Amino acid sequence: MSGQPQTRQRKGYGGLSGDSDNGESVHEIVPVRSASGSDSRSAVSEPRGYGSGRPVPQRFSRSRYTESTRFALIVASILFILALAFRFYKINHPDQVVFDEVHFGKFAAYYIKREYYFDVHPPLAKMLLGAAGWFVGFDGDFEFATIGDSYSVHHVPYVGIRSLGAFLGSLTVPIVFAIMKESGYPTAIAAFSSLLVLLDNAHVAQTRLILLDAALVFFMALSLLAYIKFRKLRYREYTPRWWAWMFATGTFLACTLGCKMVGLFTFLTIGTAVIVDLWQLLDIKKGLSMDQFWRHFAARALGLILWPAIIYLSFFWIHFKVLKYSGTGDSFMSPQFQETLAGNELLLNSQEIRYYDTVTIKHKDTKVFLHSHIDKYPLRYDDGRISSQGQQVTGYPHNDTNNHWQIIPTKALPATGRGRLVRHGDQVQLLHVKTQTFLLTHDVASPLMPTNQEFTTYEPDETNSRYAETLFTIDVLEALDGEPWKSKSGHFRLTHVQTKVHLWTHAKPLPDWAYKQQEINGNKAVQDRSTTWFVENIITDEPDDESKNQTVVVEQKPVKHRNFFKKFFELQMLMLSHNAGLTASHPYASNPINWPFLMHGISFWTENDKKEQIYLIGNVASWWLCTLAISVLIGIFAADALARRRAVDPIPDDIRHRLINNAGFFVTAWAFHYFPFYLMNRQLFLHHYLPAHLASALVAGAVLNFIVTESIEFPISYATASAPTTRHPRTHTDIGSKAWTFVLSYALLLLGVYLYIAPLTYGAPSLDGDQVNRRRLLSSWTLHFQAKDHETNIPGAERTRLQKQLAQPNKDPAEPREGPRLWTDTADNRAWDAYHAKNARQKEISELPVKQEAELAKLRVETGKAGKKTLNAAEKFRKA
């Protein structure tokens, strides 16, 4: 018997619990040590998906206790408790609005007040914040107007709202631990990856405020964990647990995308893994027929595409149902959307427009009125082009009689009745009331854009020869043929009949000859959404029965209903366009190339009186190690591929497969959450890297496992009765005591760096200039309240004496104060430098020998009035 392998029954394969799903007995090859001390085993058939297809010797046995389920749960619990402690510590400080709380706190308040708002992010995380605020008794009246506004003064239960993010951030840590354990890594490696997130200053600072990233990272981590659980059940397809984990993956993916649009990157990560999975199933060696393959494809499409889409849509359905009243976001939406909101201005004041009404026309985006005045375009522009010298037509932001235009019909009208209404598709003329000229465009280049047409006005002559050039079509957006044109709600394009260009404006001002007003020109881009205008007011001198109530508030109208999908797609397009339009510069914006190396942070909050600040920056011991781990793993892949080209196998097949399938999955997650930012032209900040940093922490654990041991945990997928045995024996990872020593030692390093930077994370305690300088680990960090270079060399006692001296008024203006500047504000520094330089010069003059009369006179001339008083005092002293 010594030369034969023995078999015994064992339930399940791996997983955090180590138990199989349904309690089926699974055969496992267990080697028996022979008399000579060598292992003996037989090679048996391998089910699809397991291993590389060749026998591998048994690896080292692991410590039963440290890898037991009980010990893993204890470690995960300790990590969770520590995460709670670090994230809830001083969560009430500061009791002021911090950074983007000015936005997301305000959005949470809108949910409580049920007022519609617009934001570039999907609503889930903000709805959660609103629910948290409602739960702790927030009434939504606080405006979150500016950074630094006091919560305590206005009695805002901000701690309860902040606690949501802190709790989700704390839960993320044991989720990272579970991801690593479910992937087959030892407890020490799982704890190591978790510590890289737990003791990261950036994760802590971002998750303990009223922000969206805590929910985003939480659901992203859950998505990765759920997909790994689903993947481990690939041999138990179509079982209840298989379906449950697939739908759980889809749910968490939808939640990730529901927090921020960057959740799409998590979709790409899981989607890539699913495509690889389907590609493997398509292999004929797997033994699946095409019907079976399409069944797998349909199941994944249902659970990972259709189901997440339904969940994602449900967030917006709730969003629209809750926000039922008119609010700050009305103006972003179409008139049809706005009329679904109770109390909206369009419901109150939108009126049908009739021919011969005098109206003011306003641009939807830039909010300027269509305007004209008697001044003419110059004959020649600065670039040498020639104009028509016609009457200027411009965009003007203020109410003015030069904004009045009368709508002139081009067809016969009845004397009374609804036949006098202006309707969608009608051709009209626009008469400028003040100058009695008609709006016109023609084939002449506009002042600022040679590719667009000039707009001017035309005073008709006896022959009315330019009548055709004054004809425009009223193209009401989303209107049916013959639908009446309305003020306020009737957003429209004014299309020139002859040339088909649209009336358009842009923010760039015209030169002084047009009083810096906006240019109006003819845009040839048919689908450009910025060519949208609306009638702001109908000007009526003596309203009759038909026109009454056109310019005054009328009775409340019933709220209109609109198809949910129309509202959804309108909002989605606006979110995407406005997100891409966030291109304005910001002092703390940074490029993606800087993020892995922590070259720049973000100033969240400062308190000048107490010299306190919150500065978002990561733990360098965590971020730099994660970046190094990614580089090492890519180097391992490259070196192994190069060696295999020369028929050298430096890495055993089972370890290589684990690196590719698992660590490769983590690297894919990191890449999808990082590299797309290089394609974006919008504002970018360090906190955009937090999901990628979590993925890099998983990579760091995988690389550490590869370094400290040559063994793997095998198998980690759950087996079935149809695949009871494997050609490979069951193996366990034994990382040894040295690995535990490294993990604990590095945990101490992480803790030390974390605590050192903690005053910048929590905003307390306050730091003096020297202490701030010492925490400025990189010169690119822009911290507040820094001490100047020469000031850092002053001993503490001397610094105190100088501070007291500067705090006292100077009795003699001619007497210079000694010592370097101690202010940290830039303006104060400049003032002190000038004052100190002047006093130093005056002191130098007053100490000159009396006999140097000539030199003294010369210096008096150089110093001028600033030194006159001191020089006169010196002369009086000499004569005395």
Side-chain angles (χ1 to χ4, degrees):
M1 292 294 292
S2 61
Q4 298 296 327
Q6 296 177 350
T7 63
R8 68 182 180 202
Q9 301 290 332
R10 178 174 296 183
K11 290 185 178 181
Y13 281 134
L16 200 59
S17 65
D19 294 331
S20 64
D21 287 6
N22 54 14
E24 296 171 353
S25 296
V26 180
H27 289 283
E28 178 185 344
I29 303 297
V30 180
V32 178
R33 184 73 59 180
S34 66
S36 61
S38 61
D39 290 343
S40 298
R41 57 180 57 81
S42 62
V44 294
S45 61
E46 175 192 14
R48 53 189 168 86
Y50 275 134
S52 61
R54 67 182 186 185
V56 176
Q58 174 69 26
R59 303 297 181 186
F60 300 102
S61 62
R62 62 180 174 177
S63 169
R64 291 188 178 275
Y65 181 70
T66 58
E67 299 307 320
S68 66
T69 301
R70 179 180 180 183
F71 184 76
L73 290 175
I74 291 174
V75 172
S77 300
I78 293 173
L79 293 171
F80 178 54
I81 293 172
L82 289 175
L84 288 171
F86 283 116
R87 283 153 178 78
F88 278 89
Y89 173 72
K90 285 187 176 294
I91 197 171
N92 63 326
H93 180 79
D95 64 341
Q96 299 175 8
V97 177
V98 177
F99 194 55
D100 277 349
E101 287 185 337
V102 74
H103 301 300
F104 302 123
K106 185 182 303 181
F107 297 151
Y110 289 147
Y111 281 109
I112 296 173
K113 300 179 72 174
R114 306 192 69 177
E115 295 177 356
Y116 187 80
Y117 72 91
F118 173 77
D119 183 40
V120 298
H121 300 299
L124 176 60
K126 292 168 291 185
M127 288 194 295
L128 293 175
L129 291 172
W134 171 83
F135 183 78
V136 297
F138 180 41
D139 58 10
D141 289 336
F142 184 67
E143 296 182 353
F144 296 88
T146 58
I147 296 174
D149 286 354
S150 174
Y151 289 130
S152 300
V153 171
H154 296 88
H155 307 290
V156 179
Y158 67 101
V159 172
I161 308 176
R162 285 179 178 175
S163 296
L164 172 67
F167 184 71
L168 294 179
S170 301
L171 278 177
T172 303
V173 173
I175 292 174
V176 171
F177 181 86
I179 290 173
M180 298 302 290
K181 286 296 294 182
E182 291 293 335
S183 299
Y185 292 101
T187 301
I189 301 299
F192 177 72
S193 292
S194 302
L195 286 167
L196 294 175
V197 177
L198 188 156
L199 295 174
D200 179 61
N201 299 75
H203 278 276
V204 172
Q206 193 75 10
T207 57
R208 60 196 305 274
L209 299 171
I210 306 175
L211 303 173
L212 308 184
D213 296 85
L216 171 70
V217 176
F218 171 73
F219 286 118
M220 173 231 178
L222 276 179
S223 299
L224 299 181
L225 174 61
Y227 180 74
I228 290 172
K229 295 284 289 185
F230 165 71
R231 178 66 175 158
K232 289 176 64 175
L233 292 162
R234 63 187 183 276
Y235 301 122
R236 297 183 177 183
E237 59 239 17
Y238 310 120
T239 62
R241 287 191 65 184
W242 185 85
W243 284 106
W245 280 112
M246 181 171 64
F247 275 88
T249 303
T251 301
F252 296 140
L253 284 173
C255 292
T256 308
L257 183 59
C259 293
K260 277 189 172 183
M261 293 303 293
V262 294
L264 181 63
F265 302 154
T266 310
F267 260 100
L268 294 176
T269 301
I270 303 299
T272 301
V274 171
I275 291 173
V276 172
D277 182 26
L278 290 173
W279 180 254
Q280 292 174 347
L281 291 176
L282 190 60
D283 189 349
I284 195 172
K285 295 179 182 179
K286 296 294 182 180
L288 297 180
S289 66
M290 288 305 298
D291 288 341
Q292 291 174 316
F293 171 78
W294 287 116
R295 187 182 177 192
H296 275 281
F297 180 89
R300 286 160 174 78
L302 174 64
L304 301 176
I305 298 178
L306 181 59
W307 176 248
I310 294 173
I311 298 296
Y312 185 70
L313 287 171
S314 71
F315 299 148
F316 286 89
W317 185 86
I318 298 172
H319 176 75
F320 295 144
K321 284 294 182 180
V322 173
L323 304 179
K324 58 184 293 187
Y325 298 112
S326 175
T328 59
D330 293 13
S331 60
F332 292 91
M333 314 309 296
S334 68
Q336 294 79 6
F337 191 109
Q338 293 184 48
E339 289 179 326
T340 66
L341 302 171
N344 182 266
E345 183 185 12
L346 301 189
L347 287 174
L348 299 177
N349 295 336
S350 178
Q351 299 296 317
E352 294 175 337
I353 300 172
R354 293 166 173 78
Y355 283 107
Y356 296 107
D357 278 345
T358 299
V359 299
T360 57
I361 299 174
K362 201 170 191 178
H363 188 238
K364 179 179 180 293
D365 292 342
T366 61
K367 309 303 182 189
V368 297
F369 291 98
L370 181 62
H371 177 92
S372 185
H373 42 243
I374 60 175
D375 298 84
K376 308 294 184 181
Y377 290 113
L379 175 62
R380 186 181 298 274
Y381 298 130
D382 292 340
D383 59 2
R385 292 184 295 111
I386 304 298
S387 79
S388 67
Q389 282 196 293
Q391 182 172 303
Q392 295 176 16
V393 175
T394 61
Y396 187 62
H398 308 293
N399 282 318
D400 188 88
T401 55
N402 281 324
N403 302 338
H404 294 174
W405 301 84
Q406 189 176 36
I407 303 169
I408 307 300
T410 59
K411 61 183 180 181
L413 299 177
T416 60
R418 296 186 62 79
R420 299 179 66 85
L421 294 177
V422 185
R423 300 179 183 274
H424 167 59
D426 282 2
Q427 292 184 9
V428 302
Q429 289 179 298
L430 291 180
L431 176 67
H432 188 246
V433 176
K434 194 74 174 289
T435 61
Q436 290 295 298
T437 57
F438 288 98
L439 184 68
L440 172 147
T441 185
H442 50 181
D443 192 17
V444 175
S446 68
L448 300 182
M449 304 182 69
T451 58
N452 288 13
Q453 288 186 187
E454 174 192 86
F455 264 80
T456 182
T457 63
Y458 160 70
E459 184 176 1
D461 51 25
E462 293 181 357
T463 61
N464 202 14
S465 59
R466 307 191 69 180
Y467 172 77
E469 294 178 296
T470 65
L471 298 181
F472 293 88
T473 301
I474 302 297
D475 183 14
V476 182
L477 303 185
E478 299 187 24
L480 302 175
D481 290 341
E483 183 174 332
W485 182 29
K486 296 182 179 181
S487 64
K488 304 289 186 181
S489 63
H491 288 196
F492 71 99
R493 293 190 183 97
L494 190 68
T495 305
H496 191 233
V497 173
Q498 192 175 70
T499 62
K500 307 303 181 185
V501 300
H502 300 305
L503 179 72
W504 183 67
T505 185
H506 56 95
K508 185 176 181 180
L510 289 163
D512 291 337
W513 50 258
Y515 310 105
K516 298 292 184 179
Q517 296 174 11
Q518 282 186 202
E519 180 190 34
I520 299 289
N521 63 41
N523 191 339
K524 300 176 183 179
V526 177
Q527 299 300 325
D528 194 335
R529 296 178 62 90
S530 62
T531 57
T532 302
W533 301 75
F534 64 94
V535 172
E536 172 74 1
N537 289 307
I538 301 175
I539 311 300
T540 306
D541 295 330
E542 296 180 359
D544 54 21
D545 292 338
E546 291 186 355
S547 62
K548 67 179 180 179
N549 292 330
Q550 288 186 331
T551 59
V552 298
V553 177
V554 298
E555 65 276 4
Q556 181 85 22
K557 298 179 181 179
V559 174
K560 296 184 178 181
H561 297 282
R562 196 178 189 218
N563 182 274
F564 164 75
F565 289 100
K566 289 184 177 180
K567 295 170 68 176
F568 170 78
F569 285 113
E570 177 182 340
L571 182 55
Q572 292 297 301
M573 296 304 298
L574 284 172
M575 287 164 53
L576 293 173
S577 61
H578 282 266
N579 201 341
L582 297 175
T583 57
S585 60
H586 191 281
Y588 292 100
S590 56
N591 295 320
I593 190 64
N594 298 318
W595 298 343
F597 309 102
L598 289 175
M599 300 300 294
H600 299 283
I602 309 172
S603 178
F604 270 14
W605 170 84
T606 58
E607 175 57 64
N608 293 329
D609 294 337
K610 298 180 180 179
K611 299 294 186 291
E612 295 176 345
Q613 63 179 310
I614 295 179
Y615 188 76
L616 181 76
I617 200 69
N619 188 325
V620 293
S622 172
W623 288 51
W624 290 354
L625 179 73
C626 292
T627 304
L628 177 63
I630 292 172
S631 303
V632 169
L633 185 62
I634 294 174
I636 291 172
F637 286 155
D640 179 67
L642 183 62
R644 286 169 62 84
R645 296 296 291 175
R646 303 304 301 170
V648 178
D649 290 340
I651 303 176
D653 287 347
D654 52 353
I655 298 178
R656 179 186 300 109
H657 292 161
R658 179 61 53 80
L659 280 176
I660 293 174
N661 294 330
N662 187 258
F665 175 65
F666 296 153
V667 170
T668 302
W670 170 81
F672 275 126
H673 287 86
Y674 176 53
F675 288 115
F677 287 106
Y678 284 93
L679 305 178
M680 298 183 185
N681 294 322
R682 56 153 293 172
Q683 290 176 354
L684 297 174
F685 299 92
L686 178 65
H687 61 75
H688 287 122
Y689 188 73
L690 292 179
H693 174 260
L694 184 142
S696 67
L698 302 175
V699 175
V703 171
L704 177 61
N705 185 79
F706 177 81
I707 293 174
V708 300
T709 180
E710 295 182 356
S711 59
I712 62 169
E713 185 77 14
F714 182 87
I716 58 171
S717 296
Y718 299 102
T720 64
S722 61
T725 61
T726 174
R727 180 175 300 178
H728 295 305
R730 183 176 182 85
T731 62
H732 299 302
T733 302
D734 185 3
I735 62 172
S737 59
K738 292 183 179 179
W740 273 105
T741 302
F742 174 80
V743 171
L744 294 176
S745 300
Y746 206 84
L748 292 176
L749 175 62
L750 288 169
L751 179 62
V753 177
Y754 177 88
L755 295 176
Y756 190 68
I757 306 178
L760 305 178
T761 303
Y762 297 106
S766 60
L767 304 174
D768 61 30
D770 285 345
Q771 292 171 324
V772 171
N773 280 10
R774 288 196 291 269
R775 282 160 178 80
R776 188 169 174 245
L777 302 182
L778 296 179
S779 59
S780 55
W781 294 7
T782 52
L783 302 180
H784 294 271
F785 316 124
Q786 299 178 52
K788 298 303 176 180
D789 293 338
H790 65 266
E791 185 183 337
T792 59
N793 298 322
I794 303 176
E798 179 66 11
R799 172 182 297 279
T800 302
R801 185 187 69 80
L802 292 173
Q803 287 174 335
K804 291 180 179 179
Q805 177 185 348
L806 289 174
Q808 298 174 355
N810 200 7
K811 297 180 180 179
D812 186 359
E815 179 184 350
R817 285 177 173 168
E818 297 181 353
R821 56 189 177 182
L822 295 180
W823 293 288
T824 56
D825 183 77
T826 304
D828 289 340
N829 278 331
R830 289 196 298 266
W832 172 244
D833 286 341
Y835 174 79
H836 189 65
K838 185 187 74 172
N839 282 346
R841 186 64 168 161
Q842 290 174 344
K843 182 177 181 180
E844 177 185 349
I845 294 172
S846 64
E847 292 177 350
L848 286 173
V850 177
K851 62 182 181 180
Q852 297 176 344
E853 295 286 353
E855 186 176 354
L856 185 63
K858 181 180 178 181
L859 289 172
R860 181 186 299 112
V861 174
E862 293 177 352
T863 305
K865 296 180 180 179
K868 186 175 180 180
K869 183 175 182 179
T870 301
L871 292 173
N872 290 337
E875 290 178 346
K876 290 180 180 179
F877 179 80
R878 175 181 60 79
K879 292 177 180 179

